[in-house]
Amino acid sequence: MTASLERLRRCHFAVDLGAARTRVYVKGAGLVVDQPSVAAINTRNGALIAVGEFAEKMTGRTPDYIRVMRPVSGGTVVDIEMAQRMLRQLLGDKVRRALRRKPRLRAAACTPHDADPLAQRAAIETLVGLGARRVELVDTLIAAAVGCGLPVEQPEATMIMVCGAAATQVAVLCLGSIVTAERVPVGGEAVDRAIVQHLRHQHELMLPSQSVRPLQLALSGNGLTPHGPASTEIHGRDVATGLARSVQVDTAAVRDAIQTPLTAVLDGIGKVLRACPPDLVADLADRGIMMVGGSALLPGLDQMLRQATGMPVHIAERPDVCAVQGLGYMLEGKIAPLTLDPLAL
């Protein structure tokens, strides 16, 4: 981590290209972009119509010649050109002019754990298209751990769980590096799909594309536990007639539907703990798990993990921006590497 920190201190801006949101940290200015990773284009002439929040509001509401795209999927850039156009618009002319003045512009980017070379190359080419002469890649797990204040560089075990939209990453960190990690292809989107399928099969109701998150929040602060509300009213479209309809949904049944994808997350935590040395597991029994990522705010998820693992579970203060905040700390030089004095002979 020492050599990486030295290179990161020379970077001028950092980008966290997530499947749900894109965040950009500029050295000396802080977090300047925090918008959904969505772009809307006119398919007739290829013109970019909107990006970010406005483009997300257009999802499911556009005429046939407007296409709403997500250039990032599963933490990997799948459309490099569209990702570059989206980033240019999100940064704005003022920020881009300030970055262009930097001699030998350098950038940093988060990449998922065990990202393949093609995914890493896509992230590099996306930022090179913005004018970066050099791009440093940082594992999302390490960046998120630094961003939420975990003592990553110390000889103490820390466990972090990054709950993303497309995947959940679990790792044990020690001495500035990853001891063991697991990437589970289950995230907030899988939970959304489970709710949508439950309502379609049990109530013959189709939800609007932007209604799933409010449904999760309707489960209240104890959403995944039996202490939540008994029922909630959901508005949608009838599968058979196509007419608008409202139904009272039993939240206990919704919790059962959500349990299926979350079981894979528990299996991932178990794999990480089984592969971890016993000395580090003893540290984790006291320190517990730190949850970061946008899906960490799913109501009651921390309580469910606490009951299933028997370990303390904590949610970061701002879990959604921990990764880019960690990159920002590295850029600003706020993280001191662990230095070992040579033994005197």
Side-chain angles (χ1 to χ4, degrees):
M1 189 171 176
T2 305
S4 177
L5 281 175
E6 292 296 329
R7 292 195 298 267
L8 285 168
R9 288 195 184 102
R10 302 191 189 105
C11 294
H12 301 97
F13 71 102
V15 179
D16 179 16
L17 275 170
R21 298 185 75 86
T22 294
R23 299 176 177 92
V24 180
Y25 187 102
V26 176
K27 193 174 184 178
L31 187 64
V32 297
V33 174
D34 185 2
Q35 295 279 342
S37 303
V38 187
I41 62 169
N42 188 329
T43 57
R44 294 174 179 172
N45 54 20
L48 190 64
I49 298 175
V51 296
E53 291 182 356
F54 186 57
E56 189 176 49
K57 291 179 181 178
M58 298 170 65
T59 304
R61 304 172 185 270
T62 59
D64 56 358
Y65 66 91
I66 296 179
R67 182 183 174 194
V68 179
M69 302 177 59
R70 290 185 176 271
V72 184
S73 177
T76 303
V77 179
V78 294
D79 190 334
I80 296 175
E81 181 184 358
M82 186 54 61
Q84 291 174 350
R85 296 174 67 183
M86 180 187 72
L87 275 172
R88 289 192 192 101
Q89 291 297 320
L90 290 176
L91 285 171
D93 294 336
K94 183 178 179 181
V95 176
R96 282 192 291 127
R97 280 197 301 267
L99 291 176
R100 280 199 298 265
R101 297 193 193 103
K102 305 289 185 183
R104 292 192 59 84
L105 183 65
R106 293 171 177 254
C110 286
T111 56
H113 180 67
D114 285 344
D116 57 68
L118 287 178
Q120 296 178 4
R121 187 66 185 174
I124 291 172
E125 290 187 5
T126 300
L127 298 185
V128 167
L130 294 178
R133 301 288 297 275
R134 184 180 178 90
V135 179
E136 304 290 348
L137 299 180
V138 181
D139 197 302
T140 302
L141 291 165
I142 293 180
V146 171
C148 63
L150 292 179
V152 182
E153 71 282 357
Q154 297 299 321
E156 302 169 352
T158 55
M159 189 171 190
I160 187 166
M161 185 169 75
V162 180
C163 307
T168 300
Q169 304 174 66
V170 186
V172 175
L173 310 176
C174 187
L175 290 173
S177 60
I178 297 173
V179 177
T180 178
E182 187 74 22
R183 187 167 183 262
V184 183
V186 173
E189 293 176 353
V191 176
D192 293 347
R193 287 193 297 269
I195 295 176
V196 169
Q197 291 175 4
H198 168 75
L199 292 177
R200 185 182 180 94
H201 294 156
Q202 300 297 323
H203 300 277
E204 297 184 350
L205 192 74
M206 291 183 64
L207 283 181
S209 58
Q210 300 176 17
S211 300
V212 181
R213 287 295 169 182
L215 172 58
Q216 292 181 2
L217 296 177
L219 300 179
S220 90
N222 298 315
L224 301 182
T225 66
H227 305 293
S231 64
T232 183
E233 187 176 11
I234 304 298
H235 306 280
R237 190 183 75 180
D238 189 277
V239 173
T241 65
L243 300 176
R245 184 162 64 92
S246 299
V247 296
Q248 285 289 334
V249 177
D250 182 12
T251 54
V254 175
R255 287 195 293 271
D256 291 340
I258 292 176
Q259 292 291 340
T260 302
L262 293 181
T263 302
V265 177
L266 293 176
D267 292 342
I269 295 175
K271 288 181 182 179
V272 169
L273 291 175
R274 286 193 294 271
C276 192
D279 292 344
L280 297 184
V281 175
D283 290 346
L284 297 176
D286 297 329
R287 300 179 182 277
I289 306 172
M290 177 64 74
M291 295 175 58
V292 301
S295 298
L297 298 174
L298 183 64
L301 177 59
D302 56 333
Q303 297 182 30
M304 189 202 75
L305 293 177
R306 197 176 293 117
Q307 293 173 359
T309 63
M311 298 168 59
V313 179
H314 315 282
I315 301 178
E317 185 176 352
R318 294 190 62 191
D320 50 340
V321 298
C322 280
V324 71
Q325 199 70 47
L327 286 178
Y329 290 159
M330 296 178 190
L331 264 61
E332 303 282 1
K334 297 181 180 179
I335 305 300
L338 178 65
T339 57
L340 298 177
D341 295 329
L343 295 175
L345 297 178

